[in-house]
Amino acid sequence: RFSFQKWGGTESVVFNLARELEHGGVKSRIYCTDMLSAPGVENHEFVEVHRFRYLFPWVGLSKAAREQLILKGGSPLSLGLFFALLREKKTSLIHTHVQHRLGGMARTAARLKGIPYVVSLHGGHYTLPTEQKEKMIEPFRGKMEWGKLFGALLGARRVLADADAIICVGKSEYDEVKLRHPDEAVFHVPNGVDIERFSGADGDAFRRAHGFGPTEKIVLCVSRIDYQKNQLGLVRAFAAFSERHPDHRLVLIGPVTVESYRDELLAEIERRGLGSRTTLLEGLRPEDPLLAGAYRAAEMFVLPSVHEPFGIVVLEAWAAGVPVIASRVGGIPGFATDRENLLMIEPGNDDELAERMDELAGSAATRAELSRKAFGEAAAHYDWAKIADRYLEIYELVLKNDER
């Protein structure tokens, strides 16, 4: 899917990459299903988004199960998308950001058109914890999957094996893919950030829009409202932290991808008496200036995830000059260093999280030093223009190899 209402890390990568390539003279079109949107073509900042009808190929899915798959992602079937790929003119290369059936469509379309394709792994293909995987398959557990035939015809199980290049955004996943696919061309290309947008955002505008006073200090978390992101752990840690720091407020921003988890989160906030100290914003559109402004308004940014393929929001906080606390999990240790450009905690350790929040709240010098080093790291290595150049190098290498 590619929805501005339910924006996540993958959507951010796909859109920003297409936009930066456009600036460099490379035309990209985004092909996706019409999940949470309408079918048709939309132009957004000169990037074309083509959306196609889809279905989930399981027998007996309930309405609730379909809604869960839409929010969390499933393995849909979209023949309209496949045939549109085949009709697309003057295509040099296909870049798929999904696997399974849709990835199989990209693979088969590329083969029929006689062009190369590359695949990006945005985390979780080999590194998703078993507990998280079980939760993701719950909507269709025990249902008959009639779409397996299409998966076999499209080579869904060979999307990685047949790719001309595999690109991993996280270092831990890159290491795993290199181990499992030693003969493939595998690259590690991290996510990027729009430095100018976040560094120049208006934090006061966010404060005014949501009624925060000038002396109130904000602890911010921007992330999908989802069990993988562990906002529940942050609420528990904040409950202890706020007893010692009553002038702080907790702000949670993110689209809801697991509604039952959102309900559990709200119940925990009320149970701990934090209703007046917590603001939950169920997603801001990615282009909304108040989203970048939220970072600039914050005293600290916290990402308490139990599973995090990369952590693009850490880069956004770095670009905004906000000190970060994040879990030592997934792709984060691949680009961040504890006590160099952020503070790390063990995932799920609420007491340690509260202690690190105490540390940042109590030391302006620590906040300033972490922010200074983090901003320098983001500006030097993670601006989207630099990241897009790395993708372009891979494309050119793949196209050159295809000519031989």
Side-chain angles (χ1 to χ4, degrees):
R1 70 166 190 246
F2 190 87
S3 167
F4 292 99
Q5 283 70 40
K6 299 289 185 180
W7 194 257
T10 301
E11 289 93 338
S12 179
V13 172
V14 172
F15 174 73
N16 282 288
L17 176 58
R19 184 179 61 180
E20 289 298 330
L21 290 174
E22 183 82 22
H23 292 163
V26 178
K27 180 69 175 177
S28 298
R29 291 189 174 98
I30 297 172
Y31 275 51
C32 57
T33 70
D34 65 344
M35 284 186 196
L36 300 171
S37 302
V41 180
E42 177 184 2
N43 283 279
H44 191 77
E45 294 188 39
F46 308 107
V47 176
E48 289 184 15
V49 182
H50 296 244
R51 296 189 177 94
F52 301 88
R53 296 192 183 279
Y54 72 96
L55 50 81
F56 290 117
W58 284 275
V59 174
L61 283 180
S62 67
K63 180 181 178 182
R66 287 194 298 272
E67 289 175 350
Q68 281 184 267
L69 286 172
I70 289 170
L71 291 174
K72 283 292 291 178
S75 182
L77 181 65
S78 177
L79 294 180
L81 190 157
F82 175 62
F83 289 118
L85 274 179
L86 291 179
R87 291 193 301 269
E88 185 68 65
K89 304 293 185 183
K90 298 181 180 179
T91 307
S92 302
L93 176 145
I94 295 175
H95 185 165
T96 176
H97 294 264
V98 291
Q99 297 82 57
H100 309 298
R101 274 178 282 266
L102 290 180
M105 291 176 189
R107 167 195 174 272
T108 302
R111 285 191 157 194
L112 292 174
K113 294 168 77 72
I115 61 174
Y117 79 96
V118 302
V119 55
S120 276
L121 299 182
H122 292 269
H125 189 81
Y126 291 128
T127 59
L128 185 66
T130 301
E131 178 187 0
Q132 306 295 322
K133 188 179 299 184
E134 288 298 311
K135 289 182 178 180
M136 291 187 75
I137 68 174
E138 183 62 35
F140 52 83
R141 190 189 306 275
K143 305 297 184 184
M144 188 178 77
E145 184 180 354
W146 59 263
K148 286 184 177 180
L149 173 61
F150 287 93
L153 292 172
L154 294 166
R157 293 182 180 273
R158 294 199 54 82
V159 173
L160 294 185
D162 293 343
D164 294 272
I166 303 171
I167 302 170
C168 304
V169 301
K171 182 62 166 59
S172 58
E173 185 132 62
Y174 166 79
D175 293 337
E176 187 67 26
V177 173
K178 286 283 288 184
L179 184 66
R180 293 172 181 255
H181 298 269
D183 299 325
E184 298 290 314
V186 184
F187 301 88
H188 173 222
V189 183
N191 290 332
V193 65
D194 186 336
I195 299 292
E196 183 177 353
R197 178 190 173 212
F198 286 92
S199 64
D202 187 347
D204 289 337
F206 178 83
R207 286 180 171 275
R208 290 192 300 270
H210 294 284
F212 290 102
T215 62
E216 291 182 303
K217 300 172 183 178
I218 294 175
V219 176
L220 176 67
C221 177
V222 179
S223 194
R224 291 181 291 111
I225 307 302
D226 188 299
Y227 46 78
Q228 293 182 355
K229 305 302 182 178
N230 190 33
Q231 289 95 342
L232 271 173
L234 175 54
V235 167
R236 292 191 293 264
F238 183 78
F241 168 82
S242 64
E243 291 180 1
R244 300 181 290 274
H245 303 274
D247 55 345
H248 283 69
R249 300 293 179 264
L250 177 62
V251 176
L252 307 173
I253 301 177
V256 176
T257 50
V258 180
E259 292 182 345
S260 61
Y261 184 79
R262 184 266 318 279
D263 297 341
E264 186 179 356
L265 184 62
L266 290 174
E268 184 70 8
I269 289 170
E270 290 304 313
R271 190 178 74 82
R272 293 183 176 270
L274 296 174
S276 62
R277 297 185 181 184
T278 303
T279 299
L280 173 60
L281 302 175
E282 295 186 7
L284 295 173
R285 287 178 65 94
E287 74 275 17
D288 191 332
L290 291 181
L291 178 59
Y295 286 94
R296 292 287 290 170
E299 181 185 72
M300 67 182 78
F301 179 86
V302 181
L303 186 65
S305 307
V306 293
H307 173 65
E308 192 63 59
F310 182 83
I312 198 169
V313 290
V314 172
L315 296 183
E316 293 174 352
W318 284 5
V322 186
V324 173
I325 302 170
S327 296
R328 184 181 284 104
V329 67
I332 294 174
F335 70 91
T337 304
D338 186 28
R339 299 199 170 274
E340 178 71 20
N341 43 38
L342 50 57
L343 299 181
M344 282 192 189
I345 59 167
E346 292 305 314
N349 191 326
D350 301 344
D351 292 338
E352 185 183 18
L353 174 53
E355 291 171 4
R356 295 296 170 267
M357 292 163 66
D358 280 332
E359 183 177 351
L360 285 186
S363 176
T366 299
R367 296 197 303 271
E369 183 66 6
L370 287 174
S371 298
R372 182 184 66 81
K373 291 181 178 178
F375 181 83
E377 182 76 7
H381 301 292
Y382 297 102
D383 187 79
W384 264 117
K386 294 183 174 68
I387 300 299
D389 285 342
R390 296 179 65 176
Y391 276 101
L392 194 55
E393 289 172 2
I394 296 170
Y395 294 164
E396 291 173 345
L397 177 63
V398 165
L399 289 168
K400 181 184 291 185
N401 290 341
D402 190 59
E403 292 173 355
R404 294 176 181 174

